[in-house]
């Protein structure tokens, strides 16, 4: 690839400047796409990212083995962080594209190759033009797919070593038209937690139930009672989902088993709702099955917190999208999603916003048929450039 530096462009010309160079970045995206790497193993990917950024004049540092943090300082002022995720998935690609994955069983099926390329396209432009005052930091994060990368960077001292006043990120979104962006103030993506339950009774002959403690009957009542958690224990104005996705117990029609196992998924936005689900479900389960003489062992597995966008930063980037890309670039009425994102962890430390970038009518994320839409690289990179220039000029934010 040949992404050569050239003369600086005037402010506001980012869109045409990036569009002129887009072929190089599409080629770079295809290069990433052909060589996917799994969470925390993004060695070649992070090396390529670091090499390009260093060549363009960014100060490049490693945080964790495959995390890349790039800094561009241009005088005193505020500091801004923009994050892209870089990892792929254990999925066998079925797109038939000429640049499809060359690694059997691995695929960029979530478009992180695209997110990385978008941020690199913005980085190349910003290093040449430097039309801002302050400090810009780019965070190329490993291991988003397993929900561990953001936490690993934060634990390794991200915000202490590389302080930022606010942080932004994006995800492509199939179903939203390409070129449109979705902005959500407040809760934008759900917290996801899991509960595993093992209900123990006393096995016996199916014809002699009075000599057994039937865990299937006890569990059935507990599942019915669970339906009351959302309707009776959660504020009706809040969102919560409780789903029993797996239940296993018994083998034969004439045998009462000793145990039943269940797996639940929980979704919520508000921290207090999440805490209520965590406390209420084990309590209810144990008490209902106890009424039948059975015992429940309940194991709660904490997953991702919800992505909760701060209002001011979301209004700012929305206003920047309107000003830079036009009012049609904003998807009106874009609703919060029930999927999850480990960007949530950053927002526990700093204000910021997670943006949805329309990917058009592609197959779903994590599908072997999924295709990232290269048409969104230029507008999304333009949005990052405009955000950096606006956030770091120190102008009042009227968004
Ligand atoms: Ni993703």
């Amino acid at each position: 690839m040949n992404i050569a530096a050239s003369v600086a462009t005037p402010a506001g010309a980012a869109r045409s400047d990036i569009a002129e160079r887009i072929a190089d970045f599409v080629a770079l995206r295809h290069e990433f796409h052909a060589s996917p790497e799994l969470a925390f193993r993004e060695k070649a990917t992070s090396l390529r990212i670091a090499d390009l950024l260093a060549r363009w004049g960014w100060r490049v540092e490693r945080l964790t083995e495959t995390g890349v943090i790039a800094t561009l300082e241009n005088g005193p002022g505020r500091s801004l962080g923009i994050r892209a995720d870089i990892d792929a998935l254990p999925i066998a690609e079925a797109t038939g594209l000429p640049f499809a994955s060359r690694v059997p069983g691995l695929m960029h099926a979530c478009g992180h190759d695209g997110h990385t390329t978008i941020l690199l396209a913005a980085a190349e432009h910003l290093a040449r033009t430097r039309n801002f005052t302050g400090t810009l930091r780019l965070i190329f994060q490993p291991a988003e797919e397993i929900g561990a990368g953001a936490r690993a960077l934060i634990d390794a001292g991200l915000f202490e070593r590389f302080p930022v006043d606010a942080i932004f990120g994006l995800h492509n979104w199939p179903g939203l038209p390409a070129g449109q962006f979705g902005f959500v103030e407040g809760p934008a993506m759900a917290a996801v937690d899991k509960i595993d339950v093992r209900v123990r009774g006393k096995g016996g002959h199916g014809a002699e139930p009075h000599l057994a403690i039937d865990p299937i009957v006890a569990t059935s009542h507990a599942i019915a009672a669970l339906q009351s958690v959302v309707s009776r224990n959660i504020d009706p104005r809040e969102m919560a989902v409780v789903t029993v996705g797996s239940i296993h117990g018994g083998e034969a029609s004439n045998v009462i088993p000793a145990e039943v196992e269940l797996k639940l998924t929980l979704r919520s936005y508000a921290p207090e709702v999440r805490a209520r689900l965590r406390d209420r479900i084990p309590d209810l389960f144990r008490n209902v099955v106890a009424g039948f003489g059975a015992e429940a062992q309940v194991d709660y597995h904490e997953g991702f917190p919800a992505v909760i966008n701060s209002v001011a930063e979301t209004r700012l980037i929305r206003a920047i999208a309107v000003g830079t890309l036009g009012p049609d670039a904003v998807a009106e009425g874009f609703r919060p999603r029930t999927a999850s994102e480990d960007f949530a962890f950053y927002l526990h430390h700093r204000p910021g916003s997670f943006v949805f970038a329309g990917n058009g009518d592609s197959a779903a994320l994590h599908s072997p048929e999924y295709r990232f839409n290269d048409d969104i690289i230029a507008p999304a990179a333009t949005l990052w450039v405009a955000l950096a220039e606006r956030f770091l000029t120190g102008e009042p934010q009227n968004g």
Side-chain angles (χ1 to χ4, degrees):
M1 192 191 51
N2 176 25
I3 301 173
S6 74
V7 294
T9 50
R15 192 178 186 178
S16 58
D17 179 73
I18 289 169
E20 269 175 35
R21 292 155 194 274
I22 200 63
D24 288 341
F25 287 101
V26 170
L28 179 63
R29 208 282 290 178
H30 296 179
E31 181 191 319
F32 285 130
H33 190 82
S35 306
E37 293 175 299
L38 284 180
F40 288 131
R41 296 182 204 163
E42 309 94 339
K43 289 195 174 134
T45 305
S46 61
L47 200 61
R48 184 76 167 115
I49 292 166
D51 280 352
L52 284 169
L53 291 163
R55 196 192 305 172
W56 297 331
W58 291 76
R59 191 175 80 232
V60 178
E61 284 152 281
R62 292 275 178 169
L63 194 62
T64 72
E65 202 181 339
T66 54
V68 176
I69 315 293
T71 303
L72 195 61
E73 282 166 342
N74 205 37
R78 298 207 291 169
S79 59
L80 171 70
I82 306 178
R83 171 273 215 170
D85 40 14
I86 67 173
D87 57 324
L89 286 156
I91 292 175
E93 180 158 357
T95 62
L97 289 166
F99 54 88
S101 172
R102 292 194 302 258
V103 187
L106 301 193
M107 178 188 177
H108 269 294
C110 202
H112 298 185
D113 50 341
H115 307 160
T116 296
T117 304
I118 288 165
L119 192 52
L120 287 170
E124 192 272 339
H125 176 88
L126 286 158
R128 251 186 309 117
T129 55
R130 300 188 187 225
N131 185 29
F132 65 88
T133 306
T135 300
L136 186 53
R137 300 192 197 279
L138 310 183
I139 299 149
F140 291 89
Q141 180 208 302
E144 193 285 326
E145 294 294 358
I146 61 168
R151 198 153 32 177
L153 293 185
I154 292 166
D155 290 349
L158 176 68
F159 291 123
E160 292 78 25
R161 286 182 58 193
F162 306 98
V164 294
D165 293 311
I167 185 164
F168 291 79
L170 65 72
H171 207 290
N172 77 93
W173 212 255
L176 185 64
Q180 284 206 333
F181 294 85
F183 303 94
V184 181
E185 293 175 19
M189 300 185 86
V192 179
D193 302 297
K194 290 196 300 183
I195 288 182
D196 295 336
V197 186
R198 185 181 289 258
V199 178
R200 289 199 188 89
K202 184 182 167 202
H205 198 295
E208 295 181 323
H210 59 294
L211 302 178
I213 296 173
D214 188 343
I216 290 181
V217 172
T219 301
S220 302
H221 280 265
I223 291 171
L226 267 187
Q227 311 310 311
S228 73
V229 171
V230 172
S231 72
R232 301 293 93 180
N233 300 133
I234 303 298
D235 184 327
R237 293 162 297 185
E238 301 282 1
M239 187 285 276
V241 177
V242 178
T243 292
V244 179
S246 167
I247 174 166
H248 290 278
E251 299 290 340
S253 64
N254 60 351
V255 179
I256 293 170
E259 289 188 352
V260 173
E261 288 180 1
L262 304 95
K263 294 180 190 297
L264 284 68
T265 187
L266 317 178
R267 311 280 163 138
S268 58
Y269 293 130
E272 55 272 24
V273 170
R274 191 182 185 205
R276 188 83 170 123
L277 295 177
R278 182 197 61 209
D279 297 340
R280 185 72 194 121
I281 291 169
D283 207 32
L284 186 68
F285 229 104
R286 285 193 199 101
N287 281 300
V288 171
V289 304
F292 293 83
E295 278 179 19
Q297 179 192 323
V298 185
D299 295 315
Y300 178 87
H301 304 283
E302 187 175 296
F304 293 22
V307 171
I308 301 184
N309 287 334
S310 36
V311 173
E313 281 69 22
T314 304
R315 289 183 182 170
L316 172 71
I317 191 160
R318 189 183 193 283
I320 290 169
V322 171
T324 310
L325 302 170
D328 291 345
V330 175
E332 291 301 336
F334 191 82
R335 304 283 308 261
R337 304 286 132 173
T338 50
S340 60
E341 233 301 331
D342 80 350
F343 190 83
F345 291 108
Y346 300 119
L347 295 175
H348 281 201
H349 296 264
R350 293 292 185 278
S353 194
F354 193 69
V355 174
F356 301 85
N359 196 54
D361 286 325
S362 70
L365 299 171
H366 295 203
S367 155
E369 309 275 351
Y370 166 81
R371 297 176 182 211
F372 178 83
N373 189 335
D374 288 322
D375 291 346
I376 75 179
I377 297 172
T382 302
L383 184 63
W384 284 154
V385 168
L387 170 70
E389 292 177 348
R390 173 91 180 267
F391 187 91
L392 295 174
T393 55
E395 284 170 13
Q397 291 160 34
N398 301 319

